[in-house]
């Protein structure tokens, strides 16, 4: 349904034998419903002669007409015009899916200002109506409320066929352009790519056609959104190249690439100050990295020693493990004593660390970093996972005895880089999301 919301001024409904703005919009837009907002003076005119009702129904007899009768007197004071806004809010709430037309040419300058604001704020169709003279028509005689309204309507020259349409729709969205731009940049810095897509659509529509490659920008924002949910393949389907930035991973090996993608998500979570999520992601990352490391360094074939307990749930059969990898088993056994079930264990960073402690192939520097990561996992991650505790960054650093979470992340990244060195020559130097953000911001005008 198409709804016209309109204040009423002294040029309405007819002045100088021509349509006022409100009536001209009805004539040319044919709304299904008209809601008029009347000040006290206009209410008296309507009560005396039904001037607005008769004028509108003369053009569209079956129209749904609703009149809001206010007690407003100080219509030149913006602070007094809150009922004009409240009535609009009521309409929007009761007609959330309908199309709204807003009259920008009737009423006092203050009313027009408010109607323009509502048009911009809700991205609606605002309509301006030129005067018949193309300039002010204040010199024309305004209706006083005691005329023969039927004669006035019959004498209206705009009833004649072929009379021009004086309505036009100003592109007011540009008034929000700078605000939308700043909100978009902030969303990019916060890595909120779903929000950024919505903001970019609104921003691009403020002055259509002024941003080259709108489709490319939306594609790369969709790429970033998918990639940040660990869906690399979908992200690459959306966009694989953005200007001079190649978005493909620098790692060809799929397992290494997945580890790097996960690391980038951890870095984003840290920058977003989502500390709990950052800490909780340590365990799956280190579990996967250490399995990869032990396969590469000691040739461990995990599928040969794992027993399926349930769907996606496996335990390591330590008797089989001992027979296939006795050196690793002896190290694990030395540090674990009789603490665990000797037959089957849930493989964790704790166990893999003990398996590698006495191995000459593992440097003391690597062991030191792994032990530091394990300490954070043990002291912080387990509390976050099983207790209703919220830690600040300072508390995390104090409890885990680390300098900062940024340095801690760099230790994890450095460990990853050390382990894959020699397997993959490329090293990622910049977070792909930051590269995307830089180019998008450059494109904004």
């Amino acid at each position: 349904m198409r709804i016209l919301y309109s204040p009423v001024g002294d040029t309405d409904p007819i002045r100088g034998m021509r349509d006022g703005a409100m009536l001209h919009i009805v004539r040319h837009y044919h709304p299904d419903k008209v809601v008029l907002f009347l000040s006290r003076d206009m209410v008296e005119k309507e009560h005396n002669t039904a001037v607005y009702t008769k004028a509108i129904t003369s053009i569209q007899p079956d129209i749904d007409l609703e009149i809001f009768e206010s007690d407003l007197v100080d219509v030149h004071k913006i602070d007094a015009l809150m009922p004009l806004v409240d009535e609009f809010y009521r309409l929007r709430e009761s007609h959330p899916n309908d199309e709204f037309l807003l009259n920008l040419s009737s009423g006092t300058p203050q009313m027009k200002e408010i109607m323009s604001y509502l048009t911009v704020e809700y991205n609606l169709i605002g309509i301006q109506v030129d005067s018949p003279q193309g300039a002010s028509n204040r010199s024309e005689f305004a209706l006083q409320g005691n005329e023969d309204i039927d004669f006035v309507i019959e004498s209206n020259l705009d009833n004649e066929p072929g009379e021009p349409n004086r309505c036009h729709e100003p592109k007011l969205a540009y008034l929000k352009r700078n605000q939308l731009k700043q909100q978009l940049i902030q969303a990019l810095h916060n890595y909120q790519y779903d929000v950024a897509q919505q903001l970019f659509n609104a921003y691009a529509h403020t002055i259509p056609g002024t941003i080259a490659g709108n489709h490319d920008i939306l594609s790369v924002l969709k790429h970033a959104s998918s990639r940040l949910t660990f869906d690399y393949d979908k992200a690459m389907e959306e966009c694989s190249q953005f200007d001079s930035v190649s978005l493909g991973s620098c790692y060809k090996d799929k397992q290494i690439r997945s580890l790097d993608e996960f690391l980038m998500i951890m870095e984003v979570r840290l920058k977003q100050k989502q500390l709990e999520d950052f800490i909780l992601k340590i365990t799956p990352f280190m579990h996967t990295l250490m399995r990869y490391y032990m396969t590469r360094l000691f040739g461990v074939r995990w599928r040969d020693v794992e027993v399926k307990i349930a769907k996606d749930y496996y335990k390591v059969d330590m008797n089989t493990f001992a027979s296939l990898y006795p050196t690793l088993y002896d190290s694990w056994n030395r540090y674990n004593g009789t603490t665990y079930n000797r037959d089957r264990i849930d493989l964790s960073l704790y166990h893999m660390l003990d398996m590698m402690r006495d191995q000459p192939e593992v440097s003391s520097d690597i062991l030191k970093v792994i032990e530091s990561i394990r300490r954070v996992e043990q002291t912080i991650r387990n509390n976050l996972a099983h207790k209703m505790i919220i830690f600040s960054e300072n508390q995390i650093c104090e409890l885990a005895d680390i300098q900062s979470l940024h340095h801690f992340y760099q230790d994890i990244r450095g460990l990853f880089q050390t382990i894959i060195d020699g397997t993959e020559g490329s090293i990622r130097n910049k977070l792909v999301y930051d590269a995307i953000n830089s180019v998008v911001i450059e494109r904004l005008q």
Side-chain angles (χ1 to χ4, degrees):
M1 181 166 67
R2 174 176 279 190
I3 302 172
L4 170 63
Y5 182 55
S6 174
V8 170
D10 57 11
T11 62
D12 295 311
I14 298 168
R15 184 168 185 165
M17 301 176 66
R18 291 285 186 178
D19 290 344
M22 177 270 293
L23 192 61
H24 206 63
I25 294 171
V26 173
R27 184 185 300 278
H28 290 284
Y29 279 81
H30 308 291
D32 303 291
K33 181 182 180 71
V34 173
V35 180
L36 301 182
F37 183 93
L38 307 186
S39 66
R40 182 185 294 178
D41 287 344
M42 306 306 172
V43 170
E44 290 180 5
K45 288 183 181 181
E46 173 65 17
H47 285 178
N48 290 338
T49 61
V51 58
Y52 308 113
T53 300
K54 286 186 175 183
I56 291 172
T57 56
S58 72
I59 294 175
Q60 200 166 326
D62 60 346
I63 199 165
D64 180 4
L65 177 59
E66 181 179 332
I67 297 178
F68 182 84
E69 300 181 352
S70 77
D71 290 328
L72 286 180
V73 176
D74 298 325
V75 291
H76 295 281
K77 296 181 179 179
I78 283 186
D79 289 344
L81 293 174
M82 186 57 69
L84 177 65
V85 179
D86 290 340
E87 177 63 9
F88 171 76
Y89 290 159
R90 181 193 68 78
L91 277 173
R92 286 282 293 176
E93 186 175 346
S94 58
H95 298 84
N97 300 315
D98 291 328
E99 181 183 43
F100 274 81
L101 311 176
L102 271 60
N103 179 1
L104 308 182
S105 293
S106 290
T108 63
Q110 292 76 14
M111 287 179 168
K112 297 172 186 177
E113 183 177 348
I114 288 176
M115 298 298 284
S116 296
Y117 171 80
L118 294 174
T119 299
V120 173
E121 183 68 14
Y122 292 93
N123 195 27
L124 304 177
I125 300 174
I127 304 169
Q128 282 187 329
V129 180
D130 296 334
S131 68
Q133 301 85 358
S136 173
N137 63 347
R138 307 300 294 180
S139 61
E140 296 289 346
F141 185 73
L143 298 183
Q144 301 301 306
N146 56 1
E147 296 86 358
D148 181 347
I149 188 59
D150 295 317
F151 177 77
V152 172
I153 292 171
E154 185 178 346
S155 304
N156 185 356
L157 296 177
D158 279 316
N159 290 330
E160 298 298 323
E163 289 299 309
N165 180 353
R166 294 181 273 112
C167 299
H168 62 95
E169 301 172 16
K171 305 302 181 184
L172 295 180
Y174 74 89
L175 296 174
K176 291 183 68 175
R177 188 172 177 79
N178 187 62
Q179 177 187 358
L180 287 168
K181 179 179 179 179
Q182 297 309 316
Q183 290 174 342
L184 174 55
I185 291 172
Q186 188 61 51
L188 292 172
H189 287 327
N190 292 337
Y191 308 99
Q192 297 172 312
Y193 293 106
D194 289 340
V195 174
Q197 289 175 56
Q198 297 174 10
L199 288 169
F200 179 76
N201 274 323
Y203 177 76
H205 280 88
T206 56
I207 306 179
T210 59
I211 302 177
N214 286 358
H215 177 74
D216 291 345
I217 293 177
L218 284 174
S219 293
V220 80
L221 293 177
K222 291 177 182 178
H223 169 102
S225 182
S226 296
R227 198 163 181 173
L228 203 50
T229 57
F230 205 51
D231 195 341
Y232 177 84
D233 291 337
K234 182 179 179 182
M236 295 305 293
E237 289 175 5
E238 295 284 0
C239 183
S240 59
Q241 180 83 24
F242 185 51
D243 283 4
S244 61
V245 180
S246 175
L247 300 175
S249 173
C250 61
Y251 300 111
K252 296 179 181 179
D253 183 280
K254 188 173 182 179
Q255 190 171 11
I256 295 175
R257 187 192 74 199
S258 293
L259 285 164
D260 183 54
E261 291 294 313
F262 201 81
L263 259 181
M264 286 196 287
I265 293 173
M266 290 177 65
E267 183 175 352
V268 168
R269 295 293 179 256
L270 185 58
K271 290 184 174 185
Q272 290 175 321
K273 301 298 182 182
Q274 296 185 24
L275 303 185
E276 292 185 22
D277 194 45
F278 170 75
I279 295 295
L280 292 175
K281 279 181 165 51
I282 294 171
T283 294
F285 175 79
M286 289 301 299
H287 185 269
T288 304
L289 180 63
M290 290 299 99
R291 284 172 65 100
Y292 170 84
Y293 185 45
M294 292 182 69
T295 295
R296 181 182 162 199
L297 200 60
F298 303 109
V300 176
R301 293 165 55 91
W302 294 105
R303 65 176 178 269
D304 292 342
V305 297
E306 288 180 327
V307 178
K308 186 174 183 179
I309 305 301
K311 183 180 180 181
D312 299 325
Y313 176 39
Y314 296 83
K315 286 191 174 186
V316 173
D317 185 310
M318 293 309 291
N319 294 318
T320 305
F321 189 85
S323 65
L324 294 176
Y325 311 106
T327 304
L328 295 174
Y329 177 84
D330 288 343
S331 179
W332 173 81
N333 190 49
R334 188 175 302 112
Y335 289 100
N336 278 273
T338 58
T339 305
Y340 293 94
N341 181 316
R342 311 301 293 172
D343 297 324
R344 294 176 178 177
I345 63 169
D346 289 309
L347 188 66
S348 67
L349 175 60
Y350 174 85
H351 293 297
M352 288 185 278
L353 176 59
D354 285 342
M355 291 172 184
M356 293 186 291
R357 284 188 187 279
D358 295 335
Q359 311 308 322
E361 297 91 339
V362 183
S363 71
S364 59
D365 289 338
I366 286 182
L367 283 175
K368 184 178 179 181
V369 174
I370 298 173
E371 286 170 349
S372 172
I373 295 170
R374 168 59 189 161
R375 184 169 60 251
V376 174
E377 181 186 51
Q378 185 176 22
T379 57
I380 307 299
R381 190 270 178 196
N382 291 341
N383 279 320
L384 287 175
H386 303 295
K387 298 179 182 179
M388 295 181 63
I389 299 176
I390 298 177
F391 291 103
S392 67
E393 181 170 356
N394 288 338
Q395 288 173 318
I396 292 173
C397 294
E398 184 177 349
L399 288 170
D401 192 25
I402 55 177
Q403 182 178 353
S404 70
L405 286 180
H406 172 75
H407 284 87
F408 176 67
Y409 170 79
Q410 293 303 322
D411 287 343
I412 297 175
R413 171 131 213 102
L415 176 65
F416 165 76
Q417 213 63 64
T418 299
I419 287 175
I420 68 167
D421 183 40
T423 303
E424 291 272 352
S426 299
I427 296 177
R428 174 175 59 80
N429 294 317
K430 186 174 184 179
L431 186 66
V432 68
Y433 304 101
D434 289 341
I436 289 171
N437 293 351
S438 295
V439 179
V440 172
I441 291 171
E442 286 176 7
R443 286 270 204 97
L444 300 180
Q445 299 174 0

